[in-house]
Amino acid sequence: MSRRKVYNWRPIKGQPLTELDKKILYLQNKGHLVPSRDLIKTPEQIEGIRRSGVVNTGVLDLIEKEIHEGMTTAQIDRMVFDYTVSHGAIPAPLNYEGFPKSVCTSINEVVCHGIPSEKEILRDGDIINVDVSTILDGYFSDASRMFMIGNVSPEKRRLVEVTKECLEIGMEAAKPFGFVGDIGNAIQKHAEKNGYSVVRDLCGHGVGLKFHEEPEVTHFGRKGTGMLLVPGMVFTIEPMINMGRYDVYIDSDDGWTVLTDDGLPSAQWEHTFVMTETGLEILTH
Ligand code: MF3
Ligand code: CO
């Protein structure tokens, strides 16, 4: 593969190179994609994102407690809005690029970006992803969980469990001064070993000062490719794993809902992480 060199990391004018500068510049000169300096969060920024993550986790814990068969996804949306606002925060999805609700609710063959609705009722046997993103004092956090409603078939249950393992395995594959591709490679292997496929068209992302920042965190790929992982980077891992083929399409009626082409179920789990000197730390526990 040939790629035009990208010189993201620049020395600070008038200052001597640090060991970190030397390490990153060396890898950049070898042709690796490295972060720009502004992707390395300060300790203050990381604390801000962590506080945002506490509210985000509170939302998901509330949904976990309250979710039940027979309720509508609009009820979930109202709980997310009320909890978030009463904790001094803002639901990041609301009005984001025109998204009309405070949370994404994605049932069965809906991969992601499902829009809560009064007409959509949780049924026995459904699996649902609730994807919550929070802005607190300008800091963004982002996490999602799967919930199983009533008696879920063993096939769907296994999809939910393997997808959770994919997130955990991806997290463990991410090492300081490793690469984003190490994460995707580990996730893809685990998904495919279990007979599933990894959605290609959507990925994880840098997060913190904006909803979506660099890098793109693909959930498939080759080791040693993609952006260098440097301590202080904050990003999501959020594998979408399909029971059948990986192809997806967007519902043309609402312009948001992403569905599997083959109509088979899809699952997703997500956390926001900070890279440390020793590995990833979860900011949305
Ligand atoms: N929470 C999603 C993510 O993980 C983004 C949803 S965008 C929205 O990146 F507008 F649909 F909310
Ligand atoms: Co995300």
Side-chain angles (χ1 to χ4, degrees):
M1 183 189 73
S2 81
R3 183 165 47 74
R4 196 181 303 254
K5 272 196 192 177
V6 179
Y7 296 99
N8 277 339
W9 194 267
R10 291 163 191 284
I12 301 178
K13 280 205 181 68
Q15 281 189 28
L17 294 181
T18 63
E19 289 308 310
L20 181 70
D21 285 327
K22 287 179 196 161
K23 194 162 179 170
I24 296 176
L25 289 170
Y26 170 76
L27 290 162
Q28 173 166 270
N29 285 333
K30 276 189 20 180
H32 285 293
L33 180 62
V34 305
S36 53
R37 228 175 252 285
D38 59 357
L39 294 185
I40 315 302
K41 266 62 177 181
T42 66
E44 292 71 25
Q45 290 171 335
I46 292 166
E47 282 319 301
I49 302 164
R50 192 190 302 280
R51 283 197 305 277
S52 172
V54 170
V55 177
N56 205 72
T57 301
V59 176
L60 281 163
D61 287 347
L62 173 69
I63 301 305
E64 186 150 355
K65 193 155 62 80
E66 298 293 336
I67 199 163
H68 61 269
E69 186 184 342
M71 82 190 300
T72 67
T73 48
Q75 283 175 272
I76 296 175
D77 180 66
R78 278 193 289 278
M79 284 195 280
V80 171
F81 180 85
D82 291 343
Y83 183 99
T84 305
V85 169
S86 73
H87 286 75
I90 302 164
L94 190 57
N95 302 319
Y96 174 78
E97 292 186 3
F99 192 80
K101 297 287 181 182
S102 296
V103 64
C104 298
T105 51
S106 304
I107 301 176
N108 298 331
E109 73 279 10
V110 176
V111 174
C112 64
H113 301 171
I115 304 174
S117 159
E118 304 287 355
K119 294 193 209 111
E120 188 174 53
I121 298 166
L122 300 189
R123 308 268 183 213
D124 183 50
D126 281 346
I127 57 171
I128 177 175
N129 175 272
V130 179
D131 189 345
V132 178
S133 317
T134 298
I135 316 170
L136 181 70
D137 302 331
Y139 294 110
F140 290 73
S141 57
D142 189 1
S144 78
R145 296 181 195 165
M146 295 298 296
F147 301 108
M148 296 192 257
I149 308 301
N151 293 306
V152 171
S153 71
E155 291 75 20
K156 284 160 89 174
R157 203 168 271 280
R158 192 173 79 90
L159 175 68
V160 169
E161 281 158 11
V162 169
T163 303
K164 191 174 191 191
E165 289 164 10
C166 283
L167 175 56
E168 290 158 359
I169 285 167
M171 175 185 174
E172 278 152 27
K175 303 288 182 210
F177 303 101
F179 295 89
V180 164
D182 306 347
I183 301 170
N185 184 259
I187 290 172
Q188 182 178 10
K189 276 187 186 144
H190 191 65
E192 292 179 356
K193 190 177 76 189
N194 281 282
Y196 301 142
S197 63
V198 178
V199 172
R200 302 295 203 255
D201 294 356
L202 298 123
C203 51
H205 50 91
V207 65
L209 308 184
K210 293 187 291 182
F211 200 166
H212 297 108
E213 304 175 5
E214 282 193 282
E216 264 191 9
V217 181
T218 55
H219 303 108
F220 61 96
R222 287 181 297 123
K223 283 186 195 172
T225 64
M227 191 177 278
L228 180 74
L229 297 171
V230 176
M233 287 171 74
V234 176
F235 56 88
T236 73
I237 305 176
E238 48 181 304
M240 284 145 274
I241 306 297
N242 291 355
M243 193 179 282
R245 296 187 50 81
Y246 59 64
D247 311 77
V248 301
Y249 70 98
I250 297 177
D251 183 343
S252 57
D253 290 341
D254 64 28
W256 279 103
T257 309
V258 179
L259 300 111
T260 61
D261 249 351
D262 59 17
L264 289 173
S266 181
Q268 178 179 28
W269 292 82
E270 173 181 21
H271 272 307
T272 295
F273 302 92
V274 59
M275 180 54 76
T276 74
E277 301 289 338
T278 53
L280 286 185
E281 182 192 341
I282 303 176
L283 296 178
T284 47
H285 246 322

